[in-house]
């Protein structure tokens, strides 16, 4: 039988196609992105990664014992990642003081929290998979199309690395185990989360690209 993640990839293929050709990514690999637009992504993703820590903590509380220690390790990984954001922000003169989530970032965070708290583990694990896969695929696209060293190279290398790829593959294999034997209605819900998360990932790039702000 085909792996469940293959079903997810098929369901999300149009969204992924659009995501990977998003203007923000194209401008980044063509090195035409303005510092202000990139800084908007840095600030918003810093908030996102910071808030991903409680998301993982919530998931851990509902996870089977076999997943707990690896989920706890993700929290350590996120703390290190925040350090990378802080160092890159400092190096490039981007302030991380008094920053607030833009509407899209805010909505995405709330989606993470509610999924982790209300939905069964296989659904929140699907959200985790989609979010991490979106970043691996997006930054790998940037890396593959980049012609020369970028000032944002550290970010590009981080999410397109072999280590990160192995981490995404681990989530995929655990997700396939979680999906095993589940009835179609529960698999369908997982597929819906994969699509919703892919959509959030797409609009997250747009939020950065347009420097989205609250209108009031
Ligand atoms: C990730 C991220 C990857 N940093 N930001 C968004 C909007 N989506 C996915 O997650 P992580 O925790 O940085 O690996």
């Amino acid at each position: 039988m085909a792996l469940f993640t293959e079903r997810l990839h098929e369901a999300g293929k149009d969204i992924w196609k659009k995501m990977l050709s998003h203007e923000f990514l194209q401008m980044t690999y063509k090195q035409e992105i303005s510092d202000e637009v990139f800084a908007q992504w840095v600030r918003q993703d810093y908030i996102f990664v910071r808030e991903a820590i409680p998301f993982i903590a919530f998931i851990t509380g509902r996870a089977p014992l076999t997943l707990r220690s690896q989920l706890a390790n993700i929290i350590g990984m996120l703390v290190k990642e925040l350090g990378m954001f802080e160092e890159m922000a400092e190096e490039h003169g981007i302030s991380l003081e008094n920053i607030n989530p833009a509407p899209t970032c805010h909505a995405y965070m709330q989606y993470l929290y509610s999924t982790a708290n209300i939905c069964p583990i296989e659904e929140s694990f699907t959200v985790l998979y989609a979010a991490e896969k979106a970043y691996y695929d997006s930054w790998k696209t940037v890396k593959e199309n980049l012609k020369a060293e970028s000032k944002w190279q550290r970010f590009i290398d981080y999410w397109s690395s072999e280590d990160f790829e192995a981490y995404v593959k681990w989530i995929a294999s655990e997700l396939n185990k979680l999906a095993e034997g589940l009835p179609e209605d529960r698999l369908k819900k997982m597929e819906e989360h994969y699509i919703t998360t892919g959509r959030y990932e797409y609009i997250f790039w747009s939020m950065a690209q347009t420097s989205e702000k609250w209108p009031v």
Side-chain angles (χ1 to χ4, degrees):
M1 209 183 84
L3 291 172
F4 181 66
T5 43
E6 284 167 21
R7 167 173 167 177
L8 294 180
H9 301 164
E10 179 60 27
K13 75 174 188 299
D14 291 346
I15 294 172
W16 248 253
K17 201 167 159 206
K18 288 208 162 161
M19 183 197 306
L20 300 183
S21 57
H22 196 287
E23 198 184 347
F24 182 95
L25 300 177
Q26 288 198 36
M27 300 277 279
T28 302
Y29 65 68
K30 289 181 187 159
Q31 313 233 35
E32 288 168 3
I33 198 128
S34 77
D35 287 353
E36 191 33 50
V37 168
F38 204 88
Q40 166 78 349
W41 171 79
V42 171
R43 289 187 293 264
Q44 292 300 315
D45 213 47
Y46 180 70
I47 297 174
F48 182 87
V49 172
R50 196 174 65 191
E51 301 310 314
I53 294 175
F55 168 64
I56 298 295
F58 294 142
I59 297 188
T60 310
R62 302 184 139 231
L65 265 178
T66 48
L67 285 178
R68 281 199 202 151
S69 66
Q70 275 141 314
L71 280 165
N73 286 340
I74 299 177
I75 295 188
M77 179 185 108
L78 294 173
V79 171
K80 280 201 198 130
E81 224 176 85
L82 289 175
M84 169 175 74
F85 275 90
E86 285 155 14
E87 284 167 24
M88 284 293 273
E90 165 103 33
E91 201 176 302
H92 294 281
I94 301 167
S95 171
L96 296 175
E97 300 284 306
N98 301 319
I99 51 174
N100 295 302
T104 297
C105 180
H106 188 270
Y108 193 4
M109 279 159 25
Q110 299 311 309
Y111 172 62
L112 295 184
Y113 293 160
S114 62
T115 312
N117 280 297
I118 296 171
C119 302
I121 180 74
E122 76 272 7
E123 290 180 33
S124 48
F125 218 74
T126 304
V127 173
L128 175 67
Y129 176 58
E132 302 292 34
K133 180 169 169 49
Y135 255 41
Y136 174 70
D137 292 342
S138 295
W139 291 104
K140 182 106 176 108
T141 300
V142 172
K143 177 130 182 158
E144 284 171 353
N145 288 285
L146 202 61
K147 303 271 186 297
E149 176 98 1
S150 160
K151 66 197 283 191
W152 309 113
Q153 196 70 39
R154 197 164 162 200
F155 288 126
I156 299 167
D157 289 345
Y158 178 80
W159 285 288
S160 63
S161 69
E162 281 176 14
D163 281 355
F164 199 76
E165 181 185 18
Y167 163 60
V168 176
K169 283 196 173 147
W170 168 74
I171 305 174
S173 73
E174 293 301 331
L175 190 58
N176 285 323
K177 285 187 221 158
L178 287 170
E180 248 168 52
L182 289 182
E184 176 53 28
D185 61 335
R186 285 179 71 176
L187 297 177
K188 185 82 198 146
K189 284 221 161 110
M190 293 166 80
E191 192 180 295
E192 283 165 9
H193 282 292
Y194 186 78
I195 287 173
T196 303
T197 308
R199 287 180 167 147
Y200 268 121
E201 288 292 332
Y202 179 87
I203 62 171
F204 204 88
W205 295 128
S206 303
M207 169 204 67
Q209 179 70 34
T210 59
S211 286
E212 181 194 86
K213 295 198 174 43
W214 293 98
V216 284

